[in-house]
């Protein structure tokens, strides 16, 4: 089987798309732009609007990569910033509002532990809670969730 420019461009585009899930943010934009440019160049060749000349195809690939990178830069940055904000904002966690029954005493100064969703979590009484400590066996409500730590409020507050 002979590898011509058209099939080479399609192979390049598919390879770039296959590598996208493994790319770090700086490389992600380049791979996506290159994949789009390769697909567009291949389509231009397929319809006969771009001659089958290596130098023209490479020039087209470079120009279309730059154009798609410029057009995609702002939307991709906005998506990445939104993803970071959502990940750090514990107020939107799915756990907030969930009721738990404590197995250990919880207070504001030190962490206790609880089994929740198949994991062992550190539990601390929320600084805004009026209670100073909550005894084991009492029901609490998760007020905030961070990586490995649940802040809880007593059910009476």
């Amino acid at each position: 089987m002979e590898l011509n420019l058209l099939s080479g461009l399609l192979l390049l585009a598919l390879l770039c798309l296959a590598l996208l899930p493994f790319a770090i943010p700086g490389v992600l934009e380049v791979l996506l732009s290159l994949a789009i440019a390769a697909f567009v160049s291949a389509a231009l060749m397929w319809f006969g609007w771009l001659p089958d000349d290596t130098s023209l195809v490479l020039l087209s690939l470079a120009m279309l990569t730059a154009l798609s990178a410029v057009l995609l830069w702002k939307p991709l940055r906005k998506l990445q910033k939104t993803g970071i904000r959502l990940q750090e904002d514990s107020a939107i966690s799915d756990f907030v509002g969930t009721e738990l029954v404590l197995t250990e005493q919880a207070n504001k100064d030190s962490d206790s532990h609880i089994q929740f969703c198949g994991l062992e979590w550190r539990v601390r009484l929320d600084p805004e809670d009026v209670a100073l400590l909550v005894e084991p066996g009492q029901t609490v409500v998760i007020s905030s969730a961070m990586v490995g730590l649940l802040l809880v409020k007593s059910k009476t507050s």
Side-chain angles (χ1 to χ4, degrees):
M1 181 175 139
E2 183 180 322
L3 186 66
N4 58 19
L5 281 174
L6 180 62
S7 56
L9 284 172
L10 291 173
L11 186 62
L12 174 67
L14 292 175
L15 180 65
C16 289
L17 289 177
L19 292 174
L20 278 179
F22 309 106
I24 57 177
V27 178
L28 182 120
E29 290 89 352
V30 174
L31 283 176
L32 185 59
S33 298
L34 187 58
I36 290 170
F39 273 128
V40 171
S41 294
L44 291 174
M45 282 183 64
W46 178 264
F47 292 116
W49 297 332
L50 182 65
D52 196 9
D53 180 26
T54 305
S55 60
L56 287 175
V57 170
L58 289 176
L59 180 65
S60 166
L61 188 62
M63 289 175 32
L64 289 169
T65 300
L67 178 67
S68 61
V70 167
L71 293 175
L72 289 174
W73 183 76
K74 240 183 182 171
L76 288 176
R77 286 289 163 210
K78 186 177 178 182
L79 283 174
Q80 287 175 347
K81 287 180 183 176
T82 302
I84 291 169
R85 188 179 71 244
L86 291 177
Q87 190 176 21
E88 292 175 352
D89 188 4
S90 63
I92 62 163
S93 173
D94 292 341
F95 295 152
V96 173
T98 303
E99 294 184 1
L100 301 172
V101 177
L102 292 180
T103 56
E104 297 178 15
Q105 178 179 329
N107 61 44
K108 296 179 182 182
D109 300 326
S110 62
D111 296 341
S112 58
H113 295 87
I114 192 168
Q115 288 286 332
F116 178 62
C117 291
L119 299 172
E120 185 171 314
W121 292 79
R122 292 181 300 134
V123 176
R124 188 179 308 147
L125 198 56
D126 194 321
E128 297 176 2
D129 195 1
V130 292
L132 297 175
L133 64 95
V134 179
E135 294 295 327
Q138 291 188 341
T139 303
V140 293
V141 178
I142 298 174
S143 61
S144 180
M146 293 167 258
V147 177
L149 175 67
L150 300 173
L151 291 180
V152 297
K153 289 186 176 182
S154 58
K155 187 126 185 221
T156 57
S157 66

